[in-house]
Amino acid sequence: MDVKDSNGAILKDGDSVTLIKDLKVKGTSVTLKRGTRVKGIRLTDDPAEVECNVDKVKGLVLRTEFLKKG
């Protein structure tokens, strides 16, 4: 199963990604800003989602359509 970011680059476990859009996190007052770098992603069973930890939120699931590799 290939997991791809918004630009079509293939993502793997442990990659670093950057957000391409401001995202509000449900259940918290946190907003992740565009350009935020997320390190050490983990792939899930769903090719459209990855799991990660951000400074303020642990165990966050992000959609790959809002990420770019790098």
Side-chain angles (χ1 to χ4, degrees):
M1 164 176 68
D2 287 340
V3 178
K4 297 183 180 182
D5 68 358
S6 61
N7 296 329
I10 295 178
L11 298 173
K12 299 177 189 166
D13 277 336
D15 280 349
S16 294
V17 294
T18 305
L19 296 177
I20 60 169
K21 181 180 176 181
D22 290 353
L23 299 174
K24 294 187 100 166
V25 180
K26 285 186 180 180
T28 67
S29 61
V30 175
T31 300
L32 299 175
K33 299 292 183 182
R34 182 175 60 133
T36 301
R37 189 171 184 98
V38 179
K39 297 179 183 178
I41 63 169
R42 291 178 302 282
L43 303 181
T44 62
D45 294 334
D46 186 353
E49 297 177 343
V50 296
E51 188 176 339
C52 62
N53 291 326
V54 184
D55 294 335
K56 302 168 188 162
V57 184
K58 305 297 181 206
L60 183 65
V61 176
L62 295 174
R63 306 258 325 153
T64 56
E65 63 194 82
F66 302 121
L67 305 174
K68 71 175 180 179
K69 190 173 182 176

